[in-house]
Amino acid sequence: MPQKPDLPNPKPESRRVGYAIVGIGKLTADELIPAARTSENSYVAALVTSEEDKGEAFARAFDLSDRDVYTYDQFEELADREDVQAVYIVLPNSMHREYVERAAKMGKHVLCEKPLGMNADDARQIVAACKKARVKLMTAYRCQYTPEHWAARDAVQGGRLGKVKLLDSIHTQVETDATAWRMKQDLAGGGPLPDVGIYSVNIMRFVLGTEPEWVFAALHQPKSDPRFREVEESVAFTLGFPGGIMATGLTSYGAAKTTTLRVLGEDGSLLMDPAFPYDGLKLQLTDEAGTHQPSFPEYDQFTQEFNHFSRCILEGGTPWTPGEEGVADHVVMDALYESARTGKVVTLKSSRKKDASRGPDKPQLPGK
Ligand code: NAD
């Protein structure tokens, strides 16, 4: 039974954006519902779930009524709920497109979990559906809303490390449940790469602000292990960015939890370790003056995302990580799978514009 947290709701509901959260899995229960309660401009107005009982238990614990709980079949009834301006899709990856399209048709703005779709074509359809319906779409890339990742980006782009040469990033974890949707190709669209390796790809692109020109990858899939009958266990990859910058990544469902990002320049380096958990991020900068570990204010990554998307809705902005940013990662990941399949380097036709797939409205960082 969910516990009711003792957290404030700072503004009256009429001045905040109401969200319907679709899918009450671990992320929704442990992170998103509590995070919305500390948001300055967002609140959870409804829940959409396959299990009505579970939805009702959560509703009661979070000051919603049973009438705020909808089954997947009742999703379209949200059209009549004026207090629901946005829908947050937190479902297995293969279900993102269907629910984004259904939400957009109702005129609701959409915040969608990563990866945006199953592949670049699927993600492009998601973007097109939201454009057609004239609703806003944000890909939930929480690491582009943290002060630590922005400090890393500022160090890279502000010249503190000198000319940047190399990056590396690891995101691994051990998955034990062979029956989980994450292990089914038709539900997940791949293994660790679109689930956790995506963080490495996304943050490398974010700190540089450019897109890879070529990629190369190899993967390992031990099909005799029931967990890896359908998806890979591990991927090792290289991305070639403009100016000869090379980045390597490792991702796996078979290696102990590790999340790192390192950037090496001519005059210095930075290390984030850990780089991708929900809290406790650590950034270390090394330059001619020595090694320095900056400190940052306390904040919640999911609250940051709610605040940003709601601000875009209330003030008419474009999210920093719109649907196009989700497509851009899929383009890279599709090319990585192609490279692993063919054993060849895959070249990409990327825009040369800085932050080409990001919105103009930068997130407000805590303490600023
Ligand atoms: P989960 O397995 O915990 O929950 C998934 C939800 O979908 C549940 O409500 C479940 O009942 C429902 N569901 C509907 N059809 C299902 C099916 N066929 N199989 C399994 N569940 C089904 O998943 P999750 O970890 O909450 O992941 C959901 C989405 O959120 C994914 O896209 C994932 O990549 C993303 N995610 C993001 C983060 C992050 O840090 N941003 C963390 C975890 C998950």
Side-chain angles (χ1 to χ4, degrees), residues 22-28 31-32 48-51 54 72 88-96 112-115 140-142 179-182 187 194-195 199 276 278 301-302 305:
V22 191
I24 313 180
K26 201 170 152 38
L27 184 70
T28 297
E31 308 296 333
L32 304 182
V48 185
T49 173
S50 54
E51 298 150 72
K54 186 163 85 177
Y72 295 147
Y88 191 166
I89 315 287
V90 199
L91 292 167
N93 307 340
S94 62
M95 298 170 76
H96 290 185
C112 183
E113 262 311 328
K114 47 56 59 180
Y141 283 127
R142 56 185 170 77
T179 65
W181 66 262
R182 282 184 164 74
L187 291 172
D195 190 28
Y199 287 85
F276 308 127
Y278 300 154
Q301 295 178 16
F302 299 99
E305 290 185 303

Side-chain angles (χ1 to χ4, degrees), residues 160-162 267-269 285-292:
R160 183 161 176 184
L161 312 182
D267 303 330
S269 63
L285 293 160
T286 302
D287 57 18
E288 284 150 2
T291 295
H292 170 60

